[in-house]
Amino acid sequence: MKLSFRDVEREKEVQASELLPVGQLPLDTPDRPVLAEPVPVTVKAEFQDGLVWAWVTARARLTLSCARCLEPFEIILEPAFEVRLTEESGEIVIEDEVRQNILLGLPAQPLCAPSCRGLCPQCGGNRNKKGCGCTPGTKDNPFDVLKNLKLKS
C-alpha cells in the first residue's frame, strides 16, 4: 500500500484499509518473531497547510520465544502512529512503516508470563512444567582463589 502526496492533495482526505499478508512484513531479528496471521491496517490521510498527515493503525499477532524458558507464546501488538509527507518526499510505502513500528513494539525481553521460572541451570528442564529434582548447589566461583590472597600493606 502506497500513500501518495499528490493523491491526498487532490482528494483532500483519503481513507484506506488493507490486510497485509505475512510475507509482506519480514521481521528478521535475532529473536525470530513470527507473524501468526495477516495484519489489518487502516490509514486516514488529510491534506493540511501544504502537508499530508496520515494516521495509521495496525493489529499484529506474533509468536515469540520466551527469554527464560524458550517456549513459544503469542502477543498482540497494536501500533498506532502518524506519518507526515511533504511534496518533496512524494510517496511512502505503508508496509515499511508498519513493519518498523511492529519491531519497535517488541519487548526487549519477551516473557511468556511475568512469573516464568525459566530453565534449570543444571539439567536444562523447564521449571514451569515440572520440578526436575536438581538441588540448587553453588557453582564453582573462579574468584574463590582470591579469598586466600594476602596483600602487603
Side-chain angles (χ1 to χ4, degrees), residues 6 17-18 32 43 53 72-73 100 112 115-118 148:
R6 294 282 177 220
S17 294
E18 189 172 329
R32 303 263 185 238
V43 178
W53 292 93
F73 71 100
Q100 290 174 21
C112 58
S115 61
C116 178
R117 296 178 57 213
N148 299 327

Side-chain angles (χ1 to χ4, degrees), residues 9 26 29 58 80-81 86 101 104 122 126 147-148 150 153:
E9 181 183 33
T29 68
F81 56 94
T86 62
N101 279 276
L104 286 171
Q122 292 174 330
N126 187 340
K147 290 179 185 175
N148 299 327
K150 299 203 188 230
S153 39

Side-chain angles (χ1 to χ4, degrees), residues 11-142:
E11 299 292 326
K12 301 298 182 213
E13 184 177 307
V14 172
Q15 292 190 22
S17 294
E18 189 172 329
L19 197 60
L20 301 178
V22 172
Q24 270 187 295
L25 298 169
L27 302 175
D28 299 328
T29 68
D31 293 338
R32 303 263 185 238
V34 176
L35 285 168
E37 61 189 15
V39 178
V41 177
T42 60
V43 178
K44 179 183 177 191
E46 294 178 1
F47 183 76
Q48 299 174 1
D49 301 324
L51 298 172
V52 169
W53 292 93
W55 297 272
V56 182
T57 58
R59 186 173 194 278
R61 192 166 59 99
L62 297 116
T63 302
L64 299 171
S65 291
C66 179
R68 290 185 190 158
C69 69
L70 305 178
E71 291 291 322
F73 71 100
E74 287 190 352
I75 64 169
I76 294 176
L77 296 178
E78 294 180 334
F81 56 94
E82 64 182 45
V83 178
R84 182 184 69 151
L85 283 172
T86 62
E87 190 171 2
E88 293 80 32
S89 59
E91 65 183 21
I92 190 165
V93 178
I94 298 298
E95 289 90 338
D96 294 340
E97 298 294 321
V98 169
R99 181 184 153 278
Q100 290 174 21
N101 279 276
I102 289 173
L103 291 172
L104 286 171
L106 289 173
Q109 186 177 16
L111 298 177
C112 58
S115 61
C116 178
R117 296 178 57 213
L119 301 176
C120 174
Q122 292 174 330
C123 71
N126 187 340
R127 293 192 274 181
N128 296 317
K129 292 184 177 178
K130 63 177 181 158
C132 58
C134 295
T135 56
T138 57
K139 192 176 176 184
D140 290 336
N141 186 344

